[in-house]
Amino acid sequence: MNRLENKPMGFFGNNPVLGLALGLTTALAVTNSVTNALGMGVLTFILVILAAVLGAVVKMVTPEEMLIPVNLVITAFLAKLGELFVLAFASSLATSVGIFLPLLAVNSLVLYATGAFHKEGSFGTSIMKAFSSGAAYVVALLVAAFVRELLGTGGVNLLNPINGATLFSFSVLSSEFTLGLFTQPMGALLTVALVAGLFQALSKTPEEKGGK
């Protein structure tokens, strides 16, 4: 876990999804539309913040050798809490993402946020790490979903994850020019790989690129 401990997460360099593959399974599944990506991204962001708060509190009273088991329980508890909230208030989102909602229980980003793999650090540091990693996760999901939905359907249709109302919608490609591949699981892998490469390129300094 040295890589997780020594490098701060960022929006481009060391992005939790695109650089470290944290929460990658969920990311691949929900980026078929911007609506799903926004809903699951915001939910995961909230769970990551809560995980950091609970993890920091638990760390004060839990023996070091018990931190990972206890943090696993925290992660499962938060995932169930998030699932129940979505089922109660955003049933359309729950229907869209299906099994990947309860699978938040094994989302490695939420477990990471509890502090299971970085035992040192203050309460404030843990919250800041959770905020930055959660926000970077949302950005990665939205960018990948935007590319997939645009190329796969010819446009983007963003709905309110809570009530299903249309927030905005546009179309730039006719059906003859859309690529159905991007609406399928293979398209998810391809899109994430391409966006990861783009983010990595944007994060490099001129020295790393070979410039002066």
Side-chain angles (χ1 to χ4, degrees), residues 158-183:
L158 177 61
L159 306 178
N160 186 325
I162 303 297
N163 57 25
T166 300
L167 298 179
F168 75 84
S169 177
F170 69 88
S171 179
V172 295
L173 298 174
S174 63
S175 58
E176 293 84 0
F177 299 101
T178 58
L179 300 172
L181 168 70
F182 287 94
T183 64

Side-chain angles (χ1 to χ4, degrees), residues 122-135:
S122 65
F123 181 85
T125 300
S126 298
I127 300 303
M128 289 303 298
K129 283 183 177 180
F131 186 89
S132 61
S133 62

Side-chain angles (χ1 to χ4, degrees), residues 8-54:
M9 292 189 184
F11 287 91
F12 295 109
N14 224 37
N15 184 280
V17 182
L18 306 174
L20 298 174
L22 296 176
L24 182 59
T25 302
T26 302
L28 291 172
V30 303
T31 52
N32 59 330
S33 75
V34 174
T35 300
N36 290 345
L38 177 64
M40 286 295 286
V42 171
L43 175 61
T44 303
F45 176 80
I46 294 171
L47 295 184
V48 163
I49 299 298
L50 292 176
V53 173
L54 293 178

Side-chain angles (χ1 to χ4, degrees), residues 20-106:
L20 298 174
L22 296 176
L24 182 59
T25 302
T26 302
L28 291 172
V30 303
T31 52
N32 59 330
S33 75
V34 174
T35 300
N36 290 345
L38 177 64
M40 286 295 286
V42 171
L43 175 61
T44 303
F45 176 80
I46 294 171
L47 295 184
V48 163
I49 299 298
L50 292 176
V53 173
L54 293 178
V57 173
V58 165
K59 192 185 301 184
M60 299 176 185
V61 295
T62 304
E64 184 174 320
E65 60 273 13
M66 290 299 296
L67 274 179
I68 290 181
V70 171
N71 286 333
L72 283 170
V73 174
I74 291 175
T75 302
F77 165 74
L78 290 175
K80 189 62 179 179
L81 192 65
E83 179 186 1
L84 293 175
F85 177 85
V86 172
L87 288 172
F89 299 103
S91 57
S92 60
L93 176 63
T95 301
S96 298
V97 300
I99 187 61
F100 293 97
L101 186 58
L103 279 179
L104 281 171
V106 292

